[in-house]
Amino acid sequence: MYIDPQWRILTVGDGDLSFSASLLKYHQPQQLTATVYDQLAELVQKYGDQHYRELCNEQCSVLTGFDVTRTDSWGKLTKNSFDLVIFQFPLLPGFNSREEFEQKCGGFGLNALNRALLRTFLLNSVEHFLDPDGAGLCYITSKDVKPYREWSIETSLIQNTKLHYYGSMPFDIERFPGYRIRNVDRDKHVKDTKGITYVWGPKAENLLGDRLSKAKYLNKGYCALCRTGPFASDRDKQEHEQARKHQQMLDYERQWQQYLSSDLSF
Ligand SMILES: C[S@@+](CC[C@H](N)C(=O)[O-])C[C@H]1O[C@@H](n2cnc3c(N)ncnc32)[C@H](O)[C@@H]1O
């Protein structure tokens, strides 16, 4: 993950604030505002207050109870004042019961709902968080394993918007000492499987140049949905398209298109 020390950075959905604390200590951005979805009491009960205090001691602004989808939870945030907004390993918070899920899901599955969270993050970042005269970058770090890889992060999130997808770079956790990737709801940390940081922004030009690359499977002759290919022949391709895995991905795509044309869509 490339970080320019000149940047003013907003972190979204930090778990225990260990990412923001490490970012501040080892990359020293010009300015950092860290945000957590949980309220302060919940954060402290789940993970303790070590990183919260570290950040406060460094005069870093920390906002708790910050839901990136809800303007009314953003409190004292100074709008349109950041160069970069980062969401590390996003995932919807768990639901307490089947009933709660059915009440809140609007008829959509978890795949579409997670994509919706990421789309809203990107659109709100551009409209409310990024400085139009700044670097103009949004980072999402995720994993290339199920269920995350089934969200089609590179191709699906910015459909029918003016945003641009610039490419991706490896996320090297070694460059963030002390960072522990957290589960949504528990005081556990997630296995450090390889992370990839995907990058978007409102400007046509890719400011990060060849620090970013685009995956081969986005090219013609591959299946971007299943991240596979190239196909040796038409027959090879047809066989792939009939396989259960591909059909499942098509099903997720259909749901996503339904979501995008629904009233719930941003
Ligand atoms: C798998 S955890 C990763 C936590 C942390 N980013 C890390 O890397 O350790 C997913 C995080 O997304 C946050 N999240 C989910 N929905 C959110 C929302 N609407 N606004 C802000 N954060 C959200 C959760 O609270 C949770 O902390």
Side-chain angles (χ1 to χ4, degrees), residues 12-19 35-38 46-47 66-70 73 87-93 114 117 148 179-185 189-190:
V12 167
D14 204 341
D16 61 358
L17 290 168
S18 61
F19 174 72
T35 74
V36 179
Y37 180 79
D38 293 329
K46 279 189 199 170
Y47 310 117
F66 185 100
D67 179 338
V68 74
T69 67
R70 287 192 28 220
S73 72
F87 200 164
Q88 288 292 108
F89 302 100
L91 188 66
L92 280 179
N114 274 294
L117 169 64
Y148 319 102
Y179 172 30
R180 297 178 78 202
I181 304 166
R182 293 296 189 169
N183 259 347
V184 179
D185 293 315
H189 74 123
V190 175

Side-chain angles (χ1 to χ4, degrees), residues 2 166 168-170 206-214:
Y2 176 73
Y166 303 134
S168 65
M169 58 191 151
N206 163 20
L207 184 88
L208 298 188
D210 57 12
R211 288 191 179 91
L212 301 180
S213 60
K214 285 200 178 162

Side-chain angles (χ1 to χ4, degrees), residues 118-160:
L118 302 194
R119 177 179 171 90
T120 309
F121 160 75
L122 292 173
L123 293 175
N124 277 341
S125 294
V126 170
E127 190 178 339
H128 300 286
F129 307 150
L130 290 178
D131 177 349
D133 298 321
L137 295 167
C138 307
Y139 287 180
I140 294 176
T141 302
S142 192
K143 290 171 199 260
D144 190 16
V145 294
K146 278 199 220 173
Y148 319 102
R149 66 178 299 166
E150 294 175 337
W151 299 343
S152 298
I153 281 185
E154 294 133 297
T155 51
S156 73
L157 303 182
I158 57 169
Q159 286 173 25
N160 314 326

Side-chain angles (χ1 to χ4, degrees), residues 9 48 62-63 113 117 130 150 187 191-192 228 234 238 250-251:
I9 303 179
V62 183
L63 304 176
L113 296 176
L117 169 64
L130 290 178
E150 294 175 337
D187 177 18
K191 275 186 271 161
D192 299 336
T228 190
D234 285 350
Q238 278 160 14
L250 282 183
D251 210 43

Side-chain angles (χ1 to χ4, degrees), residues 25-43:
K25 189 165 176 189
Y26 295 99
H27 298 270
Q28 301 182 342
Q30 189 193 128
Q31 197 254 318
L32 175 67
T33 298
T35 74
V36 179
Y37 180 79
D38 293 329
Q39 298 294 343
L40 181 58
E42 229 172 320
L43 165 79

Side-chain angles (χ1 to χ4, degrees), residues 25 67 73 79 84 101 166 180 204 223-224 247-248 254:
K25 189 165 176 189
D67 179 338
S73 72
K79 297 227 187 124
L84 167 65
F101 173 73
Y166 303 134
R180 297 178 78 202
C223 174
Q247 292 296 320
Q248 170 73 79
R254 273 191 286 270

